[in-house]
């Protein structure tokens, strides 16, 4: 059979036959005098020893001293023994989910479901691979960009130049001391001229249960993804984080049976987190089962349903920055939207653009089923140059599969430059670095990531309760570095200016005189070599809440939990629009909600919603450009307002004929 290399849609197949694989979920974790999470309890200590020292260090950056929670407590061994005594073969113990995956004969199902400690039994999804062409002859179809750095990027220059990666390489920022976990099909790297330099700390094959991740006949996908983040061969391929360390998890089998199983994925995430990875990146997407089975629907792309999605979000809550390709369904009329695990609340979904920074037709669109903005960011995913499965082999690849590792590599560069950053800070900064951050939409999210903007975005470090604001200035040749100052906006009529010293390219300023909960606003000023004064943001101030570490310039609220913390009114999409546009919003509690359109004179045009709504995210309000009398409105700008409880939020939209 002719085999295509996979970079596009992965389809599910889930058949239930004798000896098929199931999840068994248990009702509770072991309890001893309600003290299982006391730090001196054996449960806590066992959980602590089950993760690496690096994992503890990474969790501490986000969670402080509370690095262990109930999800880390092992599954009750009595439950496992009882299951095994029934002749059931357990595959993976998923303590985060208080579940095991196992092979169960059909005649045992009812007996297991009737056990007093079993909560539910569900089949494990077997996802069938859809193979499509994903590469063409690289030397005939690549387009060169004028070389701008001392490194020779060869045919990979387009993909890194679009996201300003070479700028950081010039400063020696290459992902050093950052640990990246990749989840994919097989990886073959040890003998490839562009990959043999990589420091791989651990590997694990969750398909065959060994440590060899290169033993499949088809390792093109994983090897290509690895090359996009870590490849280094002058004149051929230089990727963002070629100095990073790696842990590789093979969770997909594309050699023989082409079955991709979601318990392997969840087990892989759990293992990578315990090893201490800083970043997990996956270029796998799941949505549709085979005919006759229960498929995931778009309505289930809600951040709460797919176990692959939930697994990545749980890793995020333990301090890992999680990244996923958005999917390649943009031009598939029966789907179009993102696939899991890109629908996660915390996972960064990455879409694809071409070398002209136009959205690729295949790149999956947002929103999520519950109305959240996706994808978050973009990177080049059309005609990308990367490694093939054998030494000295290179391929040109299309797909969000190669966009995601570019963003993972840039995030590693960011963390390498500022090792104290936690994953929430990194997520915010990566999103703020997008080129569409002021007008995010469901096609390109916050825009194409810029490594230079990310590393030069200010960030906060903390030591002994003292918060310091840090900023690196890049690629500004006409600047008097001795003139750099930070300008605090204390009130509309009161500013405080502090001159800063350059310490190895980073300007640090203690945030003094503020109390916990205060909103701190600031920007930077500097003089050029002619003595003229400039501001890094002429029209805006950065802001953060003192006691927290996330700085915002534009994207104030970029993480949406299942229950929002406040009232949110999304930018309508599309905008400008004709013939219709969709308005999304979120409310943190049950409220009477009104959404009203006004003209620029403040006169009411039409009320689109006037009813009680429970807390949550909504994306079901559509305006077709008609007023309350059914007349088509004139072209031009309009105001739309969310009124919920005592809260009012307004935004502007534009109707065109």
């Amino acid at each position: 059979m002719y085999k295509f290399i996979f970079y596009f849609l992965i389809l599910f197949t889930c058949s239930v036959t004798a000896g098929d694989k199931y999840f068994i979920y248990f009702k509770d974790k072991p309890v001893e005098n309600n003290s299982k999470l006391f730090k001196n309890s054996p449960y806590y200590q066992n959980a602590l020893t089950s993760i690496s020292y690096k994992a503890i260090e990474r969790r501490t950056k986000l969670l402080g001293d509370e690095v262990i929670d109930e999800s880390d407590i092992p599954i009750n061994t009595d439950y496992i023994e009882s299951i095994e005594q029934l002749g059931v073969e357990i595959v993976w113990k998923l303590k985060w989910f208080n579940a095991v995956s196992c092979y169960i004969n059909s005649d045992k199902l009812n007996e297991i479901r009737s056990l007093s400690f079993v909560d539910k039994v569900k089949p494990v999804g077997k996802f069938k691979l859809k193979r499509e062409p994903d590469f063409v002859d690289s030397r005939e179809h690549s387009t060169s960009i004028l070389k701008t750095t001392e490194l020779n990027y060869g045919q990979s220059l387009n993909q890194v130049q679009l996201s300003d990666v070479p700028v950081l390489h010039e400063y020696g920022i290459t992902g050093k001391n950052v640990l990246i976990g990749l989840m994919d099909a097989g990886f073959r790297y040890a003998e490839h001229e562009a990959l043999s330099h990589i420091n791989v700390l651990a590997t694990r094959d969750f398909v065959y249960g060994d440590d060899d991740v290169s033993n499949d006949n088809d390792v093109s996908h994983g090897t290509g993804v690895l090359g996009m983040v870590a490849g280094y061969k002058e004149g051929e391929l230089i990727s963002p984080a070629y100095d990073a360390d790696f842990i590789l998890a093979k969770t997909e089998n594309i050699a023989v049976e082409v079955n991709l199983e979601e318990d392997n994925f969840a087990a892989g995430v759990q293992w990578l987190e315990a090893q201490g990875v800083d970043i997990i990146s996956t270029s796998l997407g799941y949505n549709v089962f085979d005919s006759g089975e229960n498929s995931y629907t778009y309505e289930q792309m809600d951040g709460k349903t797919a176990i692959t999605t939930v697994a990545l979000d749980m890793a995020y809550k333990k301090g890992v920055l999680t990244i996923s390709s958005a999917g390649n369904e943009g031009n598939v009329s029966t789907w179009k939207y993102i696939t899991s695990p890109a629908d996660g609340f915390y996972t960064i979904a990455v879409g694809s653009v071409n070398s002209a920074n136009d959205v690729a037709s295949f790149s999956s669109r947002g929103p999520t089923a519950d109305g959240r903005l996706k994808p978050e960011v973009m990177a080049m995913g059309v005609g990308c140059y990367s490694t093939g499965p054998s030494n000295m082999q290179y391929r040109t690849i299309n797909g969000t599969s190669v966009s995601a590792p570019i963003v993972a590599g840039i995030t590693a560069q960011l963390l390498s430059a500022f090792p104290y950053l936690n994953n929430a800070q990194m997520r915010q900064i990566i999103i703020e670095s997008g080129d569409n951050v002021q007008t995010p939409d469901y096609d390109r999210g916050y825009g194409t990531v810029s490594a230079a903007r990310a590393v030069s975005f200010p960030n906060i470090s903390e030591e002994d309760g003292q918060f310091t604001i840090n900023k690196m200035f890049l690629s500004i040749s006409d600047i008097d570095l001795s003139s750099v100052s930070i300008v605090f906006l204390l009130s509309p009529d009161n500013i405080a200016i502090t001159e800063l010293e350059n310490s190895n390219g980073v300007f640090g300023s203690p945030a003094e005189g503020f109390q916990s909960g205060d909103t701190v606003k600031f920007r930077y000023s500097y003089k050029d070599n002619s003595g003229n004064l400039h501001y890094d943001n002429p029209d805006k101030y950065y802001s953060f809440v003192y006691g927290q570490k996330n700085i915002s310039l534009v994207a104030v609220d970029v993480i949406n939990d299942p229950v929002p913390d406040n009232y949110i009114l999304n930018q309508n999409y599309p905008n400008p629009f004709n013939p219709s546009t969709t308005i999304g919003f979120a409310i943190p509690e049950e409220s009477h909600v009104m959404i009203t359109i006004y003209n620029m004179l403040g006169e009411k045009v039409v009320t689109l919603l006037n009813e009680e709504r429970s807390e949550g995210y909504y994306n079901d309000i559509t305006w077709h450009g008609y007023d309350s009398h059914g007349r088509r409105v004139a072209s031009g700008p309009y105001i739309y307002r969310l009124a919920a409880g005592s809260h009012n939020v307004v935004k502007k939209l534009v109707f065109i004929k």
Side-chain angles (χ1 to χ4, degrees):
M1 180 190 300
Y2 183 77
K3 293 186 177 180
F4 289 112
I5 299 168
F6 168 71
Y7 274 84
F8 285 87
L9 172 66
I10 298 175
L11 300 178
F12 283 66
T13 177
C14 180
S15 60
V16 180
T17 59
D20 260 336
K21 198 184 285 187
Y22 290 83
F23 290 116
I24 301 175
Y25 293 86
F26 302 114
K27 291 181 177 178
D28 52 37
K29 289 280 184 83
V31 176
E32 186 177 276
N33 298 325
N34 296 320
S35 65
K36 63 175 182 276
L37 288 183
F38 291 171
K39 291 186 178 180
N40 61 352
S41 75
Y43 297 105
Y44 186 98
Q45 293 302 316
N46 288 341
L48 197 63
T49 57
S50 70
I51 61 176
S52 69
Y53 177 74
K54 184 164 177 54
I56 295 171
E57 275 190 322
R58 187 209 59 239
R59 289 189 184 192
T60 300
K61 288 198 292 185
L62 181 71
L63 303 171
D65 292 336
E66 303 300 323
V67 296
I68 297 297
D69 61 28
E70 187 170 343
S71 67
D72 297 304
I73 303 299
I75 299 168
N76 192 319
T77 55
D78 291 339
Y79 298 168
I80 293 175
E81 290 174 2
S82 297
I83 296 296
E84 289 177 331
Q85 287 172 3
L86 295 175
V88 172
E89 177 190 353
I90 291 178
V91 181
W92 299 117
K93 299 173 184 177
L94 304 175
K95 62 183 179 181
W96 290 358
F97 297 89
N98 198 21
V100 295
S101 65
C102 50
Y103 290 101
I104 305 176
N105 291 322
S106 57
D107 59 353
K108 295 284 186 182
L109 278 174
N110 288 334
E111 183 177 2
I112 291 172
R113 287 191 174 106
S114 67
L115 294 173
S116 61
F117 53 83
V118 170
D119 183 34
K120 58 186 175 182
V121 180
K122 294 177 61 177
V124 171
K126 290 184 178 179
F127 320 127
K128 187 175 181 181
L129 211 60
K130 179 183 177 183
R131 300 171 181 259
E132 297 189 28
D134 74 303
F135 68 92
V136 293
D137 184 271
S138 58
R139 287 168 175 78
E140 292 182 8
H141 294 270
S142 61
T143 303
S144 297
I145 297 178
L146 181 64
K147 183 175 178 294
T148 59
T149 73
E150 294 182 1
L151 291 175
N152 185 351
Y153 290 82
Q155 296 187 63
S156 68
L157 184 59
N158 284 4
Q159 62 217 40
V160 291
Q161 186 84 348
L162 187 65
S163 288
D164 301 325
V165 169
V167 175
L168 299 195
H169 286 168
E170 289 179 354
Y171 282 81
I173 302 173
T174 57
K176 192 173 182 61
N177 298 322
V178 175
L179 184 55
I180 301 174
L182 293 182
M183 300 179 61
D184 214 284
F187 305 89
R188 190 165 293 155
Y189 58 91
E191 298 179 356
H192 197 290
E193 62 177 9
L195 300 176
S196 58
H197 71 283
I198 298 174
N199 185 23
V200 177
L201 301 185
T203 60
R204 190 161 185 184
D205 185 335
F206 287 84
V207 177
Y208 296 120
D210 56 33
D211 294 331
D212 186 355
V213 296
S214 64
N215 58 358
D216 280 345
N217 294 327
D218 189 348
V219 292
S220 298
H221 190 267
T223 304
V225 167
L226 180 59
M228 290 299 299
V229 64
Y232 187 93
K233 174 64 177 177
E234 287 235 34
E236 286 284 359
L237 170 68
I238 299 179
S239 296
Y242 59 80
D243 265 346
D245 300 324
F246 288 85
I247 295 182
L248 306 177
K250 175 189 166 189
T251 61
E252 312 300 348
N253 176 12
I254 63 175
V256 183
E257 297 179 355
V258 294
N259 283 339
L260 319 179
E261 297 177 304
E262 60 186 347
D263 66 325
N264 291 344
F265 188 99
V269 174
Q270 185 174 285
W271 176 71
L272 286 172
E273 189 281 326
Q275 303 307 303
V277 298
D278 300 300
I279 300 163
I280 292 177
S281 181
T282 179
S283 293
L284 305 167
Y286 311 104
N287 60 342
V288 182
F289 285 94
D290 269 354
S291 176
E293 302 296 339
N294 295 319
S295 295
Y296 282 146
T297 63
Y298 169 63
E299 286 70 27
Q300 292 175 306
M301 298 295 104
D302 58 2
K304 298 179 289 186
T305 301
I307 192 170
T308 53
T309 298
V310 177
L312 279 187
D313 270 2
M314 290 187 72
Y316 179 93
K317 292 177 181 179
K318 297 179 186 296
V320 181
L321 194 283
T322 55
I323 296 169
S324 172
S325 54
N328 299 292
E329 306 302 293
N331 52 11
V332 178
S333 60
T334 55
W335 190 272
K336 175 184 174 182
Y337 300 104
I338 57 163
T339 56
S340 64
D343 63 319
F345 292 99
Y346 304 98
T347 293
I348 296 176
V350 184
S352 287
V353 294
N354 61 21
S355 59
N357 203 19
D358 298 321
V359 178
S361 61
F362 59 76
S363 184
S364 287
R365 270 54 171 184
T368 60
D370 54 331
R372 289 173 289 118
L373 189 143
K374 291 280 181 175
E376 276 87 0
V377 297
M378 313 293 281
M380 187 165 158
V382 179
C384 288
Y385 193 69
S386 191
T387 45
S390 61
N391 188 29
M392 299 182 66
Q393 186 178 18
Y394 297 88
R395 304 288 174 88
T396 298
I397 308 167
N398 301 323
T400 59
S401 284
V402 288
S403 306
I406 292 177
V407 174
I410 291 171
T411 308
Q413 289 181 295
L414 172 64
L415 183 58
S416 180
F418 301 103
Y420 50 79
L421 294 177
N422 64 39
N423 62 335
Q425 290 175 286
M426 289 188 285
R427 187 184 192 280
Q428 179 88 17
I429 291 170
I430 288 295
I431 287 175
E432 292 273 3
S433 81
D435 63 4
N436 195 42
V437 69
Q438 298 196 47
T439 56
D441 58 48
Y442 297 135
D443 289 340
R444 62 187 307 124
Y446 295 95
T448 299
V449 169
S450 164
R453 285 195 297 268
V455 169
S456 60
F457 196 86
N459 61 71
I460 293 175
S461 59
E462 179 186 4
E463 186 173 355
D464 299 327
Q466 174 66 59
F467 291 88
T468 299
I469 307 169
N470 307 288
K471 179 175 174 62
M472 184 181 295
F473 282 86
L474 297 174
S475 300
I476 303 178
S477 57
D478 188 24
I479 179 175
D480 177 4
L481 292 177
S482 66
S483 71
V484 174
S485 299
I486 188 168
V487 182
F488 288 102
L489 180 65
L490 304 178
S491 70
D493 301 315
N494 186 11
I495 62 173
I497 302 176
T498 303
E499 293 185 357
L500 303 178
E501 293 185 2
N502 181 4
S503 176
N504 296 320
V506 178
F507 294 83
S509 173
E512 298 177 332
F514 299 99
Q515 298 181 349
S516 180
D518 287 348
T519 297
V520 182
K521 295 186 176 183
F522 67 96
R523 62 182 177 181
Y524 292 89
S525 66
Y526 58 88
K527 294 180 180 179
D528 60 30
N529 292 325
S530 300
N532 299 309
L533 183 66
H534 300 272
Y535 293 98
D536 62 336
N537 293 299
D539 302 319
K540 291 184 174 67
Y541 283 86
Y542 300 102
S543 67
F544 70 96
V545 176
Y546 194 82
Q548 302 177 14
K549 295 182 180 179
N550 272 13
I551 294 175
S552 174
L553 180 63
V554 178
V556 176
D557 185 12
V558 296
I559 294 180
N560 293 328
D561 288 310
V563 177
D565 293 328
N566 51 24
Y567 292 84
I568 300 169
L569 180 61
N570 294 337
Q571 185 64 50
N572 66 301
Y573 175 76
N575 188 44
F577 75 95
N578 185 4
S580 64
T581 190
T582 298
I583 297 172
F585 66 94
I587 54 177
E589 58 188 358
E590 184 175 349
S591 307
H592 187 88
V593 180
M594 291 184 65
I595 293 182
T596 308
I597 307 293
Y598 298 88
N599 63 26
M600 298 307 291
L601 298 176
E603 300 167 333
K604 185 170 72 172
V605 175
V606 65
T607 297
L608 302 177
L609 178 68
N610 185 8
E611 65 184 33
E612 293 289 329
R613 288 285 180 101
S614 58
E615 71 276 4
Y617 294 87
Y618 295 93
N619 197 50
D620 59 346
I621 307 303
T622 300
W623 187 37
H624 296 279
Y626 292 94
D627 65 15
S628 58
H629 300 289
R631 299 173 300 203
R632 195 74 157 171
V633 300
S635 296
Y638 291 83
I639 300 295
Y640 62 106
R641 182 183 74 171
L642 166 70
S646 60
H647 294 77
N648 288 274
V649 188
V650 298
K651 286 185 180 292
K652 183 186 293 186
L653 55 75
V654 178
F655 174 66
I656 55 175
K657 287 185 178 179

